[in-house]
Amino acid sequence: MPELKRISIPYLYELKKRGEPISWLTAYDYPLAYLVDQAGIEMILVGDSASMVVYGNSSTLPITMDTLIEHCQAVRRGAPNSFVIGDMPFLSYQVSVSEAVYNAGRFLKEGNCDAVKLEGGVRVAETIKAIVNAGIPVVGHIGLTPQSSSMLGGFKVQGKDVESAISLIEDANALEKAGTFGTLLECVPTKITSIIRKTVSNLVFGIGAGDDCDGQLLIIHDILGLYQCFTPKFVKQYVNISAIISDALKNYRNDVKNRQFPQPEHSFTIPSSELQKVKTYLSKTT
Ligand code: KIV
C-alpha cells in the first residue's frame, strides 16, 4: 500500500519532474472514491460522464451543477488524499464569464474540490483566465470534447488531419497561456500528443492520447466493467465486475427462493425468559 498524503499541484509537478506518470480516475460516489484514494491514485475527476454511467443518459449534457456538487461532496468524504477535480457541466461556463467564475467557485466552496475541468481551447481561454484569476485551478480539456460531440460529428478521434492537428496544438498553447495547470487530451493520436507535450510546459494528461503524457485518465466504470453500453478502444478493462455482481445477485435470489437465506447467523435472538413473558402476556390478552 503506497504511503498516503494529500496531493497538491506542486506534488503533481514534482511527479512530472521525476518522470513518474500520474494516475487519474473518475469517481462519483463515496465507496468507489474511498477505494481509489486508498489505492494511491493521485487524482479523481468527478466527471460529467456521471450523466451517462451513473444516470443512464445517452450524453453528458443533462447533468446539472447541483447534481455534480453533491457527487463531489460524496467523493471528497471518501477521498481525503486524492486531488479532486470537479467537471464543469454543459451551460455552466458557456453563457457568461461571471457565471463561469461563480460556478467554478462552487466546486471549491461547496464541492470541496481542488480544481475544475472544462472543455475547449482557444474559444474558452478568456473564461479560463477569469477563473484562474479568481484563484481556482483549472485543467483544460481538448480533443474529443463530449459536450460538443454533435459539432465534432460524434465521438471521434481528433487531430487526424493537418487542420485539426494544428488547431489542437493552438488550443493547448492557449490553455497554457490562460493559466491552466494541466491540459487533458482526449482521443488524440500519440504523435500529436508528443508534439503538444514538447510545446507546453504545463501537465499533459491523456485519455486515449497515447503513452507520452504526464498522466493517464480513465473512467472507473470502464476499467471495472461496470458500464456495458459502450467501451471505447482506449479502455483497458481490469475486471468484469458486472459478471461478479450478476452472479452474486442470482445467488441471493436463489437463496431467498430456496429458503437458504437468512440462516441463524443472520438473525437475532431474544432471551427465553423474555419470550416466555411475551407468550404469557399474549395468553392473557387474547
Ligand atoms: O466526464 C468525464 O469523465 C470526462 C472524461 C471523459 C474526460 O470528461
Side-chain angles (χ1 to χ4, degrees):
M1 171 82 58
E3 192 194 325
L4 298 179
K5 59 178 177 183
R6 182 72 178 259
I7 306 293
S8 62
I9 293 174
Y11 179 72
L12 296 172
Y13 271 97
E14 175 63 32
L15 292 180
K16 176 184 171 79
K17 207 167 130 198
R18 274 194 236 155
E20 181 179 330
I22 298 162
S23 53
W24 188 9
L25 274 179
T26 65
Y28 315 97
D29 59 23
Y30 172 86
L32 283 179
Y34 177 80
L35 295 175
V36 171
D37 187 280
Q38 290 296 304
I41 308 280
E42 285 94 2
M43 291 168 62
I44 293 179
L45 174 68
V46 185
D48 62 357
S49 49
S51 175
M52 298 171 78
V53 302
V54 176
Y55 290 99
N57 293 309
S58 58
S59 81
T60 58
L61 302 189
I63 201 156
T64 64
M65 276 297 302
D66 286 345
T67 302
L68 275 170
I69 294 281
E70 297 233 14
H71 283 282
C72 290
Q73 291 167 346
V75 164
R76 177 51 90 200
R77 281 181 217 117
N81 302 293
S82 301
F83 190 86
V84 176
I85 301 182
D87 201 10
M88 298 195 69
F90 183 59
L91 285 192
S92 69
Y93 58 95
Q94 291 92 340
V95 177
S96 72
V97 171
S98 59
E99 246 184 71
V101 174
Y102 176 74
N103 285 324
R106 286 190 65 196
F107 277 103
L108 269 63
K109 195 178 165 85
E110 299 171 44
N112 296 321
C113 291
D114 298 299
V116 299
K117 171 177 91 57
L118 57 94
E119 296 183 7
V122 173
R123 69 187 157 88
V124 289
E126 289 309 310
T127 304
I128 288 177
K129 265 186 214 161
I131 296 173
V132 173
N133 280 341
I136 301 163
V138 177
V139 172
H141 176 176
I142 54 176
L144 169 53
T145 45
Q147 289 175 15
S148 41
S149 61
S150 312
M151 274 173 67
L152 299 174
F155 290 80
K156 285 186 181 158
V157 179
Q158 303 296 304
K160 272 176 88 89
D161 57 56
V162 62
E163 288 83 14
S164 76
I166 288 171
S167 85
L168 270 181
I169 295 163
E170 286 170 357
D171 280 339
N173 280 296
L175 288 176
E176 180 173 31
K177 279 205 192 83
T180 60
F181 73 92
T183 294
L184 173 66
L185 305 177
E186 179 166 354
C187 287
V188 170
T190 308
K191 294 246 155 83
I192 298 302
T193 301
S194 295
I195 292 173
I196 289 175
R197 192 151 176 249
K198 285 192 191 87
T199 57
V200 297
S201 55
N202 63 355
L203 302 170
V204 174
F205 300 101
I207 175 165
D211 60 348
D212 195 6
C213 295
D214 299 307
Q216 294 291 335
L217 169 66
L218 282 176
I219 291 182
I220 194 162
H221 286 52
D222 288 337
I223 72 161
L224 298 181
L226 201 51
Y227 183 68
Q228 317 218 294
C229 299
F230 171 68
T231 306
K233 170 183 156 73
F234 57 75
V235 168
K236 178 171 175 186
Q237 191 185 97
Y238 287 82
V239 63
N240 184 357
I241 204 90
S242 292
I244 296 171
I245 293 174
S246 286
D247 279 350
L249 299 179
K250 283 177 201 151
N251 289 339
Y252 168 69
R253 180 182 185 278
N254 287 342
D255 277 359
V256 170
K257 298 283 174 197
N258 299 323
R259 299 189 184 283
Q260 293 300 304
F261 177 85
Q263 295 288 322
E265 67 265 30
H266 309 119
S267 310
F268 302 100
T269 56
I270 177 172
S272 49
S273 56
E274 292 303 303
L275 185 59
Q276 192 49 53
K277 285 180 204 163
V278 174
K279 286 180 178 164
T280 307
Y281 170 81
L282 286 176
S283 66
K284 283 183 192 152
T285 55
T286 56

